[in-house]
Amino acid sequence: MLKSKLPHLPESIFAKMTKMAIDHNAINMSQGFPSFSTDQELKDLLSKAIQEDNNQYAPMTGILDLRIKISNLVSKLYGGTYKPDGEICITPGATQGIYTAIQSVVQKGDEVIIITPAYDLYAPAIKLAGGRVVEVAMELPSFSVDWNKVEAAVSSKTKLIIVNTPHNPSGAIFSEHDWKQLEQIVNKHDLYVLSDEVYEHMVFDGKKHLSAASRPLLRDRTFITCSFGKTFHVTGWKCGYCLAPEPLMKEFLKIHQQVVFCVNRPVQHAMSAYLTDSKNYLELGTFYQHKRDLFLELIKDSKFKFVPTPSTYFQLLDFSEITDESDVKFAERLTREFKVASIPISVFMNGTDPQMLRFCFAKKDEELIEGAEILLRL
Ligand code: PMP
Ligand code: GLN
């Protein structure tokens, strides 16, 4: 019998809840993807790229035009300088960027600090690299990071700290203070950083996303991962990118080359053309803020308690006034009996259950209305 490398890995909660939503004909507010149509202009750009015969392998790091656009965008928004040649790589979604960054850095016996609730990709990738996962829990209910606890978790074996801002599932965003604390720790202990910033353009209420790309003190030791799937409502196109200084990118590319070699070429042409108009990403925050506000206004008289999420397209709802059930059981029952699917967040925090479910509001307004009507009945 084949010996499993990840014997205890459960099925992804996103696959599980989306399947349940389909099986029970429920509104799917679980897995994070939009239910509305992709912009016709972007779809036309993809057709055009295919018709113009951009259908063979792309360069390993991605088409140059797209890398130049990304370099300009990062410098304009965050002030960071990343060379299109040697410091930017197009990846099949942020997923592969994260996996590859972790494999580039982590060796057998190394420890990696993750901050929980943590996105479910990080820990298995660390284990596959032979590393040990060290979890530091966020402070609840604020979902803030206690940097003293992070520093206390650093040992002589620590190699990497993974951070995620804007944060899935809470929507918490790093402040200037957070970045300064992280800088101080990683410089003092000589650590690498992976900054997962896939929700960079979905920030609300006049707040701002602060990127690792604007931190000169982190530049030499940091990988940043981003997702066009999230930004342009095309999660199924699986396209994103990684930014890293040359010495780190050199190691990243050795693994990228073996894992995928290159990314879907016509999609890269479409992304590159679509990036020309900055409103395609700069207006994303306003767009999703409207959806968040609609959803929260609709459920304001329900028994769920909430703090409006400052970012992402996820809203946490506290259900402690409704039931004592575990979040997993309640999410399953909501899907089966009430026909609305969500994500239990205990799966991102080693079983700790703050009695909160995550609802994705990247949905058509009519679905938000229908979903809210169900939640009001509880
Ligand atoms: N990081 C986080 C925090 C996410 O929520 C997701 C899901 N999109 C990813 C990474 C993966 O992004 P992609 O779909 O581009 O692979
Ligand atoms: N990032 C998405 C979420 O948090 C899920 C992506 C996936 O299904 N792997 O819902």
Side-chain angles (χ1 to χ4, degrees):
M1 175 116 144
L2 180 65
K3 185 166 174 248
S4 173
K5 288 185 133 183
L6 296 168
H8 307 297
L9 188 72
E11 181 189 19
S12 139
I13 190 68
F14 309 116
K16 175 180 157 180
M17 294 313 297
T18 284
K19 182 168 183 309
M20 265 196 99
I22 294 167
D23 289 350
H24 294 277
N25 200 17
I27 299 174
N28 189 0
M29 298 181 76
S30 63
Q31 193 177 22
F33 66 88
S35 68
F36 41 83
S37 284
T38 301
D39 187 356
Q40 189 58 46
E41 185 193 337
L42 183 54
K43 291 194 273 196
D44 289 343
L45 286 169
L46 180 59
S47 307
K48 183 165 170 267
I50 293 170
Q51 290 309 326
E52 289 177 353
D53 257 329
N54 294 295
N55 296 320
Q56 308 309 329
Y57 294 128
M60 188 175 79
T61 55
I63 62 168
L64 180 61
D65 192 48
L66 180 55
R67 285 181 281 123
I68 291 173
K69 293 254 176 48
I70 292 169
S71 176
N72 292 340
L73 177 152
V74 174
S75 126
K76 191 176 80 186
L77 293 184
Y78 309 126
T81 311
Y82 288 87
K83 287 185 294 182
D85 255 329
E87 297 189 321
I88 298 176
C89 180
I90 311 302
T91 58
T95 300
Q96 187 252 350
I98 291 165
Y99 179 82
T100 302
I102 291 170
Q103 303 310 311
S104 319
V105 171
V106 180
Q107 310 231 6
K108 194 159 183 288
D110 287 344
E111 290 180 3
V112 180
I113 296 178
I114 65 172
I115 296 167
T116 59
Y119 190 55
D120 68 346
L121 284 178
Y122 310 149
I126 295 162
K127 289 179 193 155
L128 282 174
R132 196 171 86 81
V133 178
V134 176
E135 294 187 6
V136 176
M138 283 175 145
E139 303 301 298
L140 299 187
S142 60
F143 289 91
S144 55
V145 180
D146 180 339
W147 293 102
N148 291 325
K149 287 190 182 161
V150 174
E151 184 155 23
V154 174
S155 79
S156 58
K157 293 185 177 154
T158 310
K159 192 72 164 291
L160 173 71
I161 300 186
I162 303 180
V163 295
N164 170 215
T165 182
H167 180 245
N168 178 7
S170 71
I173 46 181
F174 269 22
S175 63
E176 181 67 23
H177 171 77
D178 289 312
W179 282 119
K180 283 201 168 131
Q181 296 290 307
L182 179 67
E183 278 165 4
Q184 189 260 328
I185 294 170
V186 298
N187 284 303
K188 179 167 156 199
H189 298 278
D190 194 18
L191 310 176
Y192 294 98
V193 176
L194 167 56
S195 183
D196 180 0
E197 304 186 12
V198 299
Y199 300 101
E200 63 186 316
H201 301 297
M202 302 176 197
V203 178
F204 315 137
D205 307 317
K207 297 192 172 77
K208 247 182 99 129
H209 166 61
L210 302 179
S211 171
S214 55
R215 316 292 311 183
L217 291 181
L218 289 181
R219 186 187 147 79
D220 288 352
R221 41 182 89 249
T222 301
F223 296 86
I224 301 173
T225 49
C226 300
S227 171
F228 287 126
K230 296 283 166 189
T231 302
F232 295 147
H233 313 301
V234 283
T235 58
W237 289 14
K238 291 303 300 184
C239 189
Y241 55 93
C242 178
L243 309 170
E246 214 162 349
L248 269 53
M249 185 52 81
K250 198 169 149 220
E251 294 308 311
F252 180 100
L253 290 178
K254 288 181 192 169
I255 294 167
H256 173 81
Q257 168 178 283
Q258 304 308 314
V259 179
V260 281
F261 184 76
C262 69
V263 176
N264 184 316
R265 183 167 199 145
V267 164
Q268 295 189 51
H269 283 268
M271 292 305 178
S272 184
Y274 200 62
L275 269 177
T276 308
D277 187 350
S278 62
K279 82 171 178 358
N280 289 331
Y281 49 89
L282 293 181
E283 290 179 1
L284 200 65
T286 311
F287 174 80
Y288 277 124
Q289 185 174 328
H290 167 77
K291 296 233 172 249
R292 177 202 65 177
D293 291 348
L294 171 67
F295 180 56
L296 293 185
E297 176 62 27
L298 288 164
I299 60 161
K300 71 174 191 304
D301 296 325
S302 73
K303 286 198 183 139
F304 289 98
K305 288 180 287 183
F306 57 81
V307 178
T309 185
S311 71
T312 72
Y313 46 43
F314 303 120
Q315 176 65 51
L316 292 182
L317 299 182
D318 174 326
F319 62 83
S320 55
E321 275 183 23
I322 299 174
T323 175
D324 288 336
E325 281 163 291
S326 73
D327 63 351
V328 172
K329 287 272 168 280
F330 186 45
E332 288 175 2
R333 190 161 69 86
L334 265 186
T335 313
R336 255 192 334 262
E337 293 175 19
F338 291 87
K339 312 291 176 207
V340 61
S342 58
I343 295 285
I345 69 165
S346 62
V347 298
F348 304 129
M349 44 203 310
N350 222 348
T352 305
D353 182 358
Q355 293 209 284
M356 286 177 169
L357 295 177
R358 190 198 80 175
F359 288 80
C360 173
F361 53 81
K363 303 295 154 189
K364 294 177 196 147
D365 287 0
E366 53 270 33
E367 283 171 293
L368 294 177
I369 293 168
E370 218 182 309
E373 271 167 12
I374 297 171
L375 299 181
L376 276 172
R377 294 209 307 270
L378 288 155

